[in-house]
């Protein structure tokens, strides 16, 4: 089993370092190879997704990704910006299914900005389609408007689109995931306004016929955003398109108090995957040794479960993370009075020690 390690920018290298230590602390040894990506890819090879990095990712059984982006690269032309690396990897590796769990650990109930009774015990799964929608639709660009009230003016435009196959395959992933959990699926759309999502709703409803045991409901995205902060525990699995999923998953992440705790998996049709923390590169705290490595460590657990078929190792890592939280260890993002503030490396140490027990 070979794992491609892509640390990226900002806090990426620090958190990946701890995740790799956790991998090395398992009984089984995995082959790992590291390559630059994002701003680091641009600096090393003049491109955010260098050819050698892409090839390594393609050849590996799984990819462990840190985060990309830093202020110094913000002025580059769009194709050279760090974000293009993750978008390129999703597209090139055909990682269409993005799993973003939002789980509130009981120890962190006080870290949420919502009242404890609204969020305690929260355990929802957002499944975001990741290679279609307005993110990749063509044409896009800036042009001169040919008609309408602003004819002759410059206008920016993008294309929202979903092919039937794309909707069907993500719907299957979502119904199957719901079966592993509470058997309830909410499909989020904007069918009242958008043709693309009227079509989405129709296809999801058709696929539902193959999963009669799963309860399906449909919700408009604006209402879903409201329900997520009003009564998030009413959800079990949410499936939605690329852009709505981007937005709703950030909101869901924050219900748990810290985006620093949340892993994610991006899977292809054969369960090969890219695993990354849900948070970004946080350049403001990079190099200070205070970043929370737990989202990345939990991403390693997802990798072991979904791509490397090592569910018992995944369970061990998740149990170790619960153990360090129970010990009261907290990085600054989840710190509360009465707990022990630790840095990135100490948190990694604690997880490695908990694994050994
Ligand atoms: C995410 C991020 C990315 C996205 C950016 C960095 C391109 O926000 O993974 O949610 O929009 O998909
Ligand atoms: Mg996002």
């Amino acid at each position: 089993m070979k794992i491609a390690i892509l640390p990226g920018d900002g806090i990426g290298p620090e958190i990946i370092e701890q995740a790799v230590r956790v991998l090395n602390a398992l009984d089984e040894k995995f082959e790992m190879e590291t390559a630059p990506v994002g701003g680091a890819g641009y600096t090393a090879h003049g491109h955010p997704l260098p050819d050698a990095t892409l090839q390594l990712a393609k050849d590996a059984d799984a990819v462990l990704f840190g985060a990309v982006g830093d202020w110094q690269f913000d002025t580059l032309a769009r194709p050279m910006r760090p974000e293009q690396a993750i978008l390129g990897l999703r597209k090139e590796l055909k990682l269409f299914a993005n799993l973003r769990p939002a789980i509130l650990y009981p120890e962190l109930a006080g870290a949420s900005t919502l009242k404890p009774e609204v969020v305690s015990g929260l355990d929802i799964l957002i499944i975001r389609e990741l290679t279609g929608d307005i993110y990749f639709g063509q044409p896009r660009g800036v042009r001169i408007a040919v008609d309408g009230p602003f004819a002759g003016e410059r206008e920016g435009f993008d294309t929202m689109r979903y092919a039937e196959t794309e909707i069907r395959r993500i719907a299957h992933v979502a119904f199957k995931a719901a079966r592993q959990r509470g058997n309830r699926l909410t499909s989020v759309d904007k069918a009242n306004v958008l043709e693309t999502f009227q079509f989405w709703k129709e296809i999801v409803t058709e696929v539902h016929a193959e999963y009669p045991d799963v309860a399906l409901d449909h919700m408009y995205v604006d209402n879903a955003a409201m329900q997520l902060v009003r009564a998030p525990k009413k959800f079990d699995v949410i499936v939605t398109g690329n852009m709505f999923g981007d937005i709703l998953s950030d909101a869901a992440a924050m219900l748990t108090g810290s985006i620093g705790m949340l892993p994610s998996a991006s899977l292809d049709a054969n369960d090969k995957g890219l695993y990354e923390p849900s948070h970004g590169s946080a350049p403001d705290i990079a190099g200070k040794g205070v970043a929370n490595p737990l989202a990345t460590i939990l991403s390693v657990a997802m990798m072991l479960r979904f791509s490397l078929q090592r569910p018992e190792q995944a369970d061990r890592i998740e149990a170790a993370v619960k153990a360090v939280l129970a010990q009261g260890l907290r990085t600054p993002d989840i710190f509360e009075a009465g707990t022990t503030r630790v840095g990135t490396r100490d948190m990694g140490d604690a997880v490695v020690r908990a694994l050994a027990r």
Side-chain angles (χ1 to χ4, degrees):
M1 290 290 185
K2 181 166 178 175
I3 305 170
I5 308 281
L6 312 184
D9 310 318
I11 59 172
E14 305 163 51
I15 54 178
I16 288 283
E17 188 186 336
Q18 300 312 314
V20 168
R21 290 180 64 214
V22 167
L23 263 169
N24 281 327
L26 299 174
D27 313 319
E28 191 175 345
K29 297 300 164 220
F30 299 94
E31 189 188 338
M32 295 181 226
E33 192 176 331
T34 303
V37 75
Y42 180 81
T43 304
H45 301 290
H47 195 279
L49 183 54
D51 289 341
T53 302
L54 177 59
Q55 197 55 49
L56 172 69
K58 282 186 170 167
D59 293 343
D61 296 291
V63 179
L64 184 62
F65 187 94
V68 291
D70 207 336
W71 298 311
Q72 65 191 109
F73 305 107
D74 281 354
T75 49
L76 292 172
R78 182 174 306 281
M80 290 298 145
R81 290 207 203 141
E83 292 77 15
Q84 295 303 314
I86 187 65
L87 294 172
L89 282 165
R90 289 170 183 171
K91 192 84 198 157
E92 292 286 334
L93 302 183
K94 302 185 171 61
L95 305 171
F96 69 89
N98 185 211
L99 275 49
R100 298 191 166 183
I103 295 171
L104 182 68
Y105 292 87
E107 293 85 358
L108 302 182
S112 177
T113 48
L114 269 69
K115 295 194 187 88
E117 63 267 27
V118 176
V119 289
S120 69
L122 181 79
D123 179 357
I124 63 180
L125 174 62
I126 297 193
I127 299 187
R128 167 189 177 195
E129 199 291 331
L130 205 54
T131 51
D133 205 351
I134 198 166
Y135 265 59
F136 292 96
Q138 295 288 348
R140 58 192 284 159
V142 176
R143 64 188 171 196
I144 304 293
V146 287
D147 49 21
F150 302 103
E153 249 188 56
R154 289 195 306 152
E155 66 177 5
F157 67 104
D158 295 272
T159 302
M160 178 175 270
R161 54 155 298 286
Y162 264 119
E164 186 173 340
T165 309
E166 291 177 290
I167 304 170
R168 278 188 194 281
R169 66 185 181 184
I170 195 71
H172 281 289
V173 170
F175 281 113
K176 285 182 182 141
R179 273 188 177 163
Q180 304 293 317
R181 298 171 43 101
N183 260 309
R184 289 185 299 113
L185 178 64
T186 303
S187 171
V188 171
D189 62 54
K190 190 71 187 174
N192 51 345
V193 178
L194 301 171
E195 298 296 332
T196 309
F197 277 91
Q198 173 63 43
F199 184 58
W200 169 283
K201 185 175 179 177
E202 280 166 32
I203 300 300
V204 172
T205 304
E206 271 179 45
V207 176
H208 184 210
E210 294 176 50
Y211 302 87
D213 51 314
V214 177
L216 171 69
D217 67 334
H218 303 273
M219 200 179 275
Y220 298 142
V221 62
D222 48 350
N223 185 26
M226 183 168 76
Q227 300 306 330
L228 264 179
V229 289
R230 195 184 74 89
K233 285 190 274 183
K234 293 213 171 125
F235 292 104
D236 178 12
V237 179
I238 293 174
V239 65
T240 190
N242 204 344
M243 184 155 75
F244 298 157
D246 178 44
I247 300 165
L248 292 181
S249 63
D250 264 30
M254 221 35 226
L255 298 174
T256 71
S258 174
I259 199 165
M261 292 298 301
L262 299 179
S264 77
S266 304
L267 305 175
D268 75 0
N270 306 309
D271 290 337
K272 170 168 172 174
L274 179 148
Y275 299 83
E276 58 174 325
S278 285
H279 59 72
S281 56
D284 52 325
I285 58 165
K288 296 187 177 153
V290 295
N292 186 347
L294 294 179
T296 316
I297 291 170
L298 290 166
S299 298
V300 168
M302 286 187 97
M303 178 171 81
L304 288 158
R305 182 168 293 121
F306 292 115
S307 289
L308 305 180
Q309 271 70 52
R310 298 289 186 280
E312 63 298 330
Q313 303 297 332
D315 291 346
R316 280 186 68 204
I317 292 178
E318 285 165 359
V321 168
K322 288 199 180 105
V324 302
L325 292 175
Q327 286 161 35
L329 303 184
R330 302 284 187 274
T331 42
D333 56 313
I334 49 175
F335 177 77
E336 287 173 85
T339 61
T340 310
R341 192 190 289 262
V342 296
T344 311
R345 192 172 177 89
D346 290 339
M347 191 59 111
D349 279 343
V351 175
V352 167
R353 274 198 310 272
L355 269 176
R357 280 198 293 273

